[in-house]
């Protein structure tokens, strides 16, 4: 394990009550403590190394997106220790349960509708009403997930636009200074990301080719899989259908609210109770974005006026998401 990189990991005494100390190694305790403290931890899986954060914390997830340097909020996979934990977070149809029973732990990600009261951050799912879940097949990481007893989101542990890491050394070279702990489990066995199968519509769909071959999946399902790779989806406002858009109209780059508008403030443009970040911090704003949009929708806001967000760091992803949410609807 490589830990530290100039940061102090807070030891979390609560962990001692969750699992017998003698059963958990120091590196797992350190990693689990860091995750529970909202920090980022890289861990090995059978596919590629993951950049992990507490899936239930908007702040930790915002920190993860910032570290990764993605220009938009791609929905993330929640990693859990076993299928039972996944079944609590998402609504699995029978076919999805069958795949989980057959292939987990393993290189398969299953996308299902979120369960009611699912605690996974809306930022982690980019505001979608669905959720991607996976039980990775690596002893150290399963131990880590059992120790934290909550879902851990993890994209591949490389800066955006770079090659996925298959050794701890790759991770250290790309992201080392942003991580509290890197758990070194040796080289990844599979080396390509998990296959992603969605059960959100009536029929199962393959959304990403990966470590589990399509014909193996089709054999298990007993029928052919529709393939809908992300790159084949239309890059038009129609794409918004699959993304979260509030019922309210959005007016962007607003410095002041107009009559009847609800204002979503940022930095020096704060009016009223709803604020993405008073101090003008884009990481904090990202953490609050989807939660606040949902809250304003629940309050039946007709028009939400959003303060200007600087197009720097996570600001780029926030503005991308706001533009999509403000685009004309295809109803
Ligand atoms: O092997 C893997 O899956 C690795 C390791 C670390 O587990 N993780 C990984 O994560 O590749 P990432 O973030 O690079 O890819 C996540 C994939 C993306 O293709 C994303 O679009 C899809 O999962 N995805 C996540 N949530 C989704 C959702 N709710 N609906 C549709 N696709 C989703
Ligand atoms: Mg990736």
């Amino acid at each position: 394990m490589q830990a530290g990189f100039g940061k102090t990991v807070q030891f979390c005494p609560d962990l001692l009550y969750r699992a017998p100390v003698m059963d958990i190694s120091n590196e797992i305790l350190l990693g689990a403590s860091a995750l529970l403290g909202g920090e980022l931890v890289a861990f090995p899986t059978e596919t590629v190394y993951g950049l992990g954060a507490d899936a239930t914390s908007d702040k930790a997830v915002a920190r993860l997106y910032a570290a990764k340097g993605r220009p938009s909020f791609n929905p993330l996979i929640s990693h859990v220790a076993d299928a039972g934990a996944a079944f609590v977070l998402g609504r699995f149809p029978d076919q999805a349960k069958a795949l989980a029973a057959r292939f987990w732990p393993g290189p398969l990600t299953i996308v299902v509708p979120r369960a009611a009261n699912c605690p996974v951050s809306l930022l982690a799912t980019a505001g979608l009403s669905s959720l991607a879940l996976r039980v990775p097949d690596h002893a150290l990481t399963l131990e880590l997930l059992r120790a934290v007893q909550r879902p851990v989101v993890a994209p591949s542990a490389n800066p955006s636009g770079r090659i996925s890491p298959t050794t701890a050394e790759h991770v250290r070279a790309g992201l080392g200074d942003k991580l509290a702990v890197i758990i070194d489990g040796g080289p990844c066995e599979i080396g390509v990301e998990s296959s992603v199968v969605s059960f959100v519509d009536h029929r199962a769909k393959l959304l990403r080719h990966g470590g589990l071959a399509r014909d193996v999946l089709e054999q298990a399902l007993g029928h052919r899989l529709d393939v809908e790779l992300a790159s084949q989806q239309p890059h038009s406002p129609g794409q918004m259908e699959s993304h979260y858009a509030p019922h309210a109209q959005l007016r962007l780059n607003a410095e002041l609210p107009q009559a009847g508008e609800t204002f979503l403030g940022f930095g020096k443009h704060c009016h009223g109770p709803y604020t993405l970040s008073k101090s003008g911090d884009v990481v904090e704003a990202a953490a609050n974005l989807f939660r606040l949009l949902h809250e304003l929708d629940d309050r039946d806001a007709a028009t939400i006026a959003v303060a200007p967000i600087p197009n720097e760091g996570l600001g780029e992803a926030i503005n991308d998401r706001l533009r999509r949410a403000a685009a004309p609807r295809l109803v």
Side-chain angles (χ1 to χ4, degrees):
M1 178 197 47
Q2 306 154 45
F5 300 106
K7 283 183 197 153
T8 313
V9 177
Q10 291 284 316
F11 179 68
C12 178
D14 194 29
L15 280 173
L16 294 180
Y17 297 102
R18 294 206 186 148
V21 191
M22 298 313 290
D23 285 346
I24 326 180
S25 62
N26 277 343
E27 61 181 326
I28 299 300
L29 268 180
L30 213 53
S33 293
L35 285 173
L36 293 175
E39 297 188 77
L40 304 180
V41 172
F43 55 76
T45 80
E46 78 284 28
T47 60
V48 298
Y49 273 75
L51 170 62
D54 177 353
T56 66
S57 161
D58 289 331
K59 264 187 166 167
V61 175
R63 192 183 263 194
L64 186 155
Y65 282 117
K68 184 100 183 146
R70 270 185 175 163
S72 65
F73 300 125
N74 292 358
L76 301 170
I77 300 169
S78 289
H79 296 68
V80 288
D82 52 49
F87 296 166
V88 174
L89 299 171
R91 286 187 278 126
F92 281 66
D94 287 344
Q95 279 211 321
K97 280 190 172 157
L99 286 193
R102 173 91 188 267
F103 296 113
W104 280 353
L108 172 67
T109 293
I110 299 179
V111 178
V112 289
R114 291 169 75 106
N117 302 321
C118 171
V120 171
S121 152
L122 281 169
L123 181 63
T125 57
L128 294 173
S129 55
S130 58
L131 181 67
L133 288 150
R134 160 163 138 79
V135 180
D137 189 11
H138 196 292
L140 284 177
T141 294
L142 288 173
E143 218 182 309
L144 178 73
L145 292 169
R146 280 192 290 269
V148 293
Q149 290 193 5
R150 65 183 65 184
V152 174
V153 277
S156 49
N158 52 287
S160 181
R162 308 267 282 279
I163 301 164
S164 296
T166 53
T167 65
E169 184 48 37
H170 293 161
V171 178
R172 200 198 53 72
L175 287 172
D177 57 339
K178 306 209 166 76
L179 300 170
V181 178
I182 299 175
I183 296 173
D184 188 346
C188 300
E189 252 173 64
I190 295 181
V192 295
E193 286 92 340
S194 59
S195 304
V196 180
V197 178
S198 166
F199 287 91
V200 169
D201 300 327
H202 298 298
R203 231 178 124 75
K205 272 190 211 144
L206 183 67
L207 301 186
R208 179 172 77 180
H209 292 292
L212 200 57
R214 175 176 165 185
D215 59 334
V216 177
L217 282 164
E218 289 179 338
Q219 241 168 32
L221 285 167
H223 62 76
R224 307 262 320 186
L225 263 177
D226 291 343
V227 180
E228 196 176 288
L229 307 181
S231 57
Q232 291 172 359
Q233 282 162 12
H235 288 279
S236 65
Q239 199 178 19
M240 287 199 19
E241 288 167 316
S242 64
H243 283 283
Y244 174 74
H247 297 297
Q249 298 295 312
L250 254 71
R251 187 168 70 84
L252 306 185
N253 295 313
E255 300 197 345
L256 281 170
Q258 293 171 359
E261 287 183 337
T262 306
F263 197 79
L264 196 50
F266 179 88
K268 65 179 179 187
H269 302 111
C270 285
H271 312 280
Y274 303 107
T275 303
L276 289 166
S277 168
K278 266 210 172 78
S279 64
D281 173 358
V282 285
V283 177
E284 185 187 9
N288 289 327
L289 179 67
F290 289 113
R291 187 179 49 76
L292 282 174
L293 286 177
H294 272 279
E295 190 176 325
L296 293 180
D297 243 7
D298 290 345
R299 291 174 181 269
D300 292 328
T303 303
I304 304 169
V306 189
I309 313 288
N311 221 22
E312 289 152 18
L314 282 193
E316 220 180 323
I318 295 172
N319 283 322
D320 167 78
R321 199 45 93 223
L322 284 172
R323 272 193 301 273
R324 286 167 190 273
R329 312 284 151 75
L330 304 173
V331 186

